[in-house]
C-alpha cells in the first residue's frame, strides 16, 4: 500500500518495531505511540503484572570528590513490573507505577518508579500471556485496515484515487488513470468510450479494495459533476450486471465537492461539516445501533435478550447467542481470573458462531452497556431455563 503524505486528521499509526511472542503466548513487543489515540490503545493493552521498559528521567544523587552530595536528573533505561496504570487523554500521557525489575547503576532492584509514556517515545511491553483480546487490540492499533471503516474516491475526468480512512490515517489503495480525449463534437463517441472505461476501472477498484462488512461510508468527491455522472453510471451498471456489492451498499455513498482529483484535496473534503457529520465515529455509530437493537429486544421480546455474566454464559453454552455485546472495560480488570473468564466467553461465543461486538467504554453506548454489567446478548431463540439462573456478581453490586 502507498501511504499518503499527510495522515488523516494529522495523525499517524502506532508503530510496531519488534514482536517476539512465543507460541505459548509469552513474549514482548516494541512500540511507538504516535498520538493520543495510540496511548488509548496502549492503555487497553498494558495491565498490572506486565513489564514495561522505556527511557525515563530519574533524580540521581552523586558524591563529589570533596564528599558533598549533588543530585541531577539523568536519562536512563528502566524496566518496571507494572502495578498501576493511569491515562490522561487531555495531557496526552500515560503513567505506569511499579517496581524496578532490572539491575541499574542508578536505581535499586525493587525500588518504586513511575514511568511516563508519551507520544513518539519507544517502549517495550512484556506479558506472561498475550491472549486473544490483547492480540486483537494490538492489531487494531497497528493495522490500519483493521479499523478502516470509511472509504473515499477523489476523482476528476480520467483520474481517481481510491483511499481507506481509519481512525488514525488515510491509505491510498489504488490509482485509476485513463486518457480522456479533449475533442468533442465528432469525437464524442471516443470521449464516451474512454469515460466508460474509466468508470469501469473505478468501480472495479471500489469492489476490490472496500470490504463493505467493515466500510460504513464511501465518500465520492470531485470538482464539477464527474462524481454525479460516475455514481449514476455505477448504479445503472451494477443493476444491469447484478453486482450485489454495489446494489446492497448504495446508501453508504456520499457525494461531495473536492477541489481536484488529486489525493491532497481529500484533506479539505474531510473538513466539510456535511462529511464530518456523516463519518463522525462510524464505529461508535454502529455500536449505538447494536445497543439500540438489544434495548428494543429487551423491551419487546425479553425472552431473547439477557445481560449479566451468568445469564450470557449459560446462553452461550446452549449455542443460543446471536450477538454478544461486551464492554472493553471488562478486559482491564486487575483481577486476572475475572479478565480470563470474559476472554474465554468471547472466544467460545465466536467459536459457536456468535457476532461478537466489543464496545468502547469511551463511547456513550459503551457507558450504557457498563451500567447493565458490561456484558449482554441478543439470542437466536428463547431459552426459558435462563430465568432460573441467579444474578452475576457485577449485577448484584449495581443493584
Amino acid at each position: 500500500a502507498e501511504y499518503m503524505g499527510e495522515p488523516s486528521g494529522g495523525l499517524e499509526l502506532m508503530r510496531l518495531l519488534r514482536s517476539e511472542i512465543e507460541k505459548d503466548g509469552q513474549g514482548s513487543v516494541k512500540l511507538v505511540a504516535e498520538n493520543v489515540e495510540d496511548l488509548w490503545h496502549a492503555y487497553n493493552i498494558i495491565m498490572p503484572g506486565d513489564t514495561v521498559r522505556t527511557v525515563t528521567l530519574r533524580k540521581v544523587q552523586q558524591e563529589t570528590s570533596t564528599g558533598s552530595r549533588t543530585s541531577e536528573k539523568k536519562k536512563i533505561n528502566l524496566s518496571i513490573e507494572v502495578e498501576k496504570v493511569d491515562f490522561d487523554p487531555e495531557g496526552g500521557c500515560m503513567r505506569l507505577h511499579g517496581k524496578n525489575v532490572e539491575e541499574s547503576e542508578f536505581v535499586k532492584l525493587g525500588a518504586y518508579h513511575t514511568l511516563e509514556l508519551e507520544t513518539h517515545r519507544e517502549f517495550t511491553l512484556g506479558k506472561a500471556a498475550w491472549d486473544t483480546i490483547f492480540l486483537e487490540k494490538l492489531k487494531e492499533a497497528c493495522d490500519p485496515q483493521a479499523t478502516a471503516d470509511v472509504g473515499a474516491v477523489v476523482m476528476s475526468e480520467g483520474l481517481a484515487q481510491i483511499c481507506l480512512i481509519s481512525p488514525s490515517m488515510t491509505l491510498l489503495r489504488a490509482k485509476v488513470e485513463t486518457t480522456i480525449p479533449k475533442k468533442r463534437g465528432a469525437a464524442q463517441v471516443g470521449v464516451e468510450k474512454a469515460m466508460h472505461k474509466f468508470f469501469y476501472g473505478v468501480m472495479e477498484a471500489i469492489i476490490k479494495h472496500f470490504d463493505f462488512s467493515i466500510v460504513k461510508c464511501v465518500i465520492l468527491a470531485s470538482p464539477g459533476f464527474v462524481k454525479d455522472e460516475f455514481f449514476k453510471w455505477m448504479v445503472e451498471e451494477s443493476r444491469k450486471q447484478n453486482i450485489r456489492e454495489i446494489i446492497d451498499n448504495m446508501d453508504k455513498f456520499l457525494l461531495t465537492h473536492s477541489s481536484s482529483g488529486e489525493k491532497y484535496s481529500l484533506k479539505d473534503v474531510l473538513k466539510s461539516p456535511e462529511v464530518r457529520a456523516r463519518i463522525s465515529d462510524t464505529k461508535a455509530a454502529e455500536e449505538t445501533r447494536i445497543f439500540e437493537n438489544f434495548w428494543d429486544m429487551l423491551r419487546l421480546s425479553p425472552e431473547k435478550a439477557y445481560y449479566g455474566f451468568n445469564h450470557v454464559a449459560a446462553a452461550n453454552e446452549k449455542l443460543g447467542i446471536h450477538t454478544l455485546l461486551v464492554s472493553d472495560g471488562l478486559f482491564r480488570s486487575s483481577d486476572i481470573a475475572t479478565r480470563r473468564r470474559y476472554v474465554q466467553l468471547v472466544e467460545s461465543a465466536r467459536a459457536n458462531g456468535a457476532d461478537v461486538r466489543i464496545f468502547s467504554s469511551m463511547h456513550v453506548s459503551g457507558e450504557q452497556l457498563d451500567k447493565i454489567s458490561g456484558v449482554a446478548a441478543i439470542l437466536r431463540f428463547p431459552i426459558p431455563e435462563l430465568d432460573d439462573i441467579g444474578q452475576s456478581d457485577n449485577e448484584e453490586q449495581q443493584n
Side-chain angles (χ1 to χ4, degrees):
E2 180 187 338
Y3 292 84
M4 290 185 70
E6 291 270 341
S8 64
L11 300 178
E12 297 172 9
L13 196 66
M14 173 94 96
R15 284 191 288 143
L16 176 63
L17 303 180
R18 190 183 70 239
S19 176
E20 296 175 346
I21 300 174
E22 305 294 331
K23 287 183 180 178
D24 63 1
Q26 187 175 354
S28 65
V29 294
K30 191 172 187 178
L31 299 161
V32 180
E34 298 288 0
N35 51 65
V36 175
E37 184 183 328
D38 290 345
L39 288 174
W40 167 249
H41 283 303
Y43 174 62
N44 281 298
I45 295 171
I46 299 171
M47 301 288 292
D50 294 345
T51 58
V52 173
R53 180 179 176 80
T54 191
V55 171
T56 188
L57 285 172
R58 176 86 174 189
K59 191 181 281 187
V60 175
Q61 288 195 336
Q62 291 179 313
E63 195 171 308
T64 65
S65 56
T66 59
S68 61
R69 299 181 73 83
T70 61
S71 66
E72 62 173 316
K73 284 192 173 182
K74 279 187 174 288
K75 269 189 177 182
I76 55 173
N77 272 301
L78 204 63
S79 294
I80 66 165
E81 182 177 318
V82 179
E83 292 187 7
K84 188 182 176 187
V85 184
D86 290 313
F87 176 55
D88 175 16
E90 298 298 323
C93 179
M94 183 160 51
R95 293 177 184 85
L96 310 174
H97 188 62
K99 290 179 181 176
N100 178 34
V101 292
E102 274 185 18
E103 288 286 354
S104 167
E105 181 185 349
F106 303 109
V107 184
K108 288 180 182 177
L109 200 65
Y112 276 98
H113 185 80
T114 299
L115 295 178
E116 289 200 353
L117 290 189
E118 297 175 331
T119 54
H120 311 297
R121 183 180 294 176
E122 294 179 6
F123 65 96
T124 301
L125 168 62
K127 286 182 177 291
W130 286 84
D131 62 35
T132 309
I133 301 298
F134 285 137
L135 292 171
E136 281 181 11
K137 291 289 181 188
L138 184 64
K139 183 183 178 187
E140 187 181 333
C142 300
D143 176 9
Q145 293 194 65
T147 54
D149 54 4
V150 177
V153 180
V154 191
M155 62 198 308
S156 56
E157 276 198 2
L159 174 67
Q161 319 273 345
I162 315 299
C163 304
L164 275 172
I165 304 168
S166 78
S168 301
M169 70 180 302
T170 301
L171 280 166
L172 178 63
R173 302 303 289 143
K175 192 174 183 177
V176 180
E177 289 183 284
T178 306
T179 303
I180 309 294
K182 290 184 179 178
K183 292 181 181 178
R184 304 289 171 173
Q188 185 64 32
V189 175
V191 173
E192 288 175 2
K193 189 176 178 182
M195 287 299 288
H196 179 91
K197 180 185 175 185
F198 171 57
F199 285 167
Y200 203 87
V202 176
M203 183 173 71
E204 279 191 324
I206 288 172
I207 294 167
K208 180 179 179 182
H209 295 290
F210 294 165
D211 179 351
F212 283 102
S213 68
I214 297 172
V215 170
K216 307 296 186 299
C217 173
V218 177
I219 301 162
L220 284 183
S222 78
F225 297 102
V226 181
K227 63 185 180 301
D228 308 273
E229 291 167 6
F230 167 70
F231 186 68
K232 183 183 176 185
W233 176 91
M234 182 175 65
V235 169
E236 291 172 356
E237 196 66 22
S238 60
R239 283 178 176 153
K240 271 188 221 169
Q241 297 187 40
N242 194 31
I243 302 171
R244 299 310 312 178
E245 292 97 327
I246 302 297
I247 295 168
D248 295 342
N249 293 285
M250 282 180 189
D251 61 338
K252 293 183 179 180
F253 286 82
L254 171 66
L255 279 61
T256 190
H257 173 79
S258 68
S259 58
S260 76
E262 296 292 344
K263 60 189 178 186
Y264 63 76
S265 68
L266 189 57
K267 280 196 338 187
D268 293 327
V269 170
L270 293 173
K271 287 177 186 173
S272 88
E274 178 194 17
V275 172
R276 278 186 178 274
R278 178 73 179 267
I279 71 169
S280 64
D281 226 346
T282 48
K283 182 177 182 289
E286 180 76 356
E287 288 177 1
T288 301
R289 184 186 65 78
I290 291 165
F291 188 80
E292 284 173 356
N293 287 351
F294 167 77
W295 209 247
D296 287 344
M297 190 71 75
L298 193 64
R299 189 167 49 88
L300 302 172
S301 304
E303 71 281 0
K304 289 176 69 179
Y306 283 86
Y307 59 88
F309 181 82
N310 290 350
H311 285 107
V312 172
N316 180 53
E317 285 176 14
K318 300 283 186 184
L319 309 182
I321 296 181
H322 179 275
T323 308
L324 176 65
L325 295 68
V326 188
S327 166
D328 63 6
L330 295 170
F331 303 113
R332 287 198 297 275
S333 172
S334 56
D335 180 51
I336 294 171
T338 299
R339 187 182 189 285
R340 188 176 293 134
R341 71 176 183 168
Y342 284 105
V343 171
Q344 288 170 346
L345 174 63
V346 165
E347 290 174 343
S348 176
R350 277 189 181 140
N352 292 338
D355 177 16
V356 176
R357 301 297 181 120
I358 296 174
F359 283 61
S360 169
S361 54
M362 291 284 277
H363 291 312
V364 175
S365 53
E367 289 175 0
Q368 290 174 312
L369 184 58
D370 281 339
K371 289 176 183 175
I372 55 167
S373 82
V375 61
I378 298 171
L379 305 190
R380 293 190 175 104
F381 46 81
I383 305 174
E385 53 265 41
L386 292 185
D387 291 332
D388 300 327
I389 295 171
Q391 290 179 314
S392 56
D393 296 340
N394 44 15
E395 284 175 279
E396 287 170 0
Q397 288 166 9
Q398 289 179 355
N399 291 339

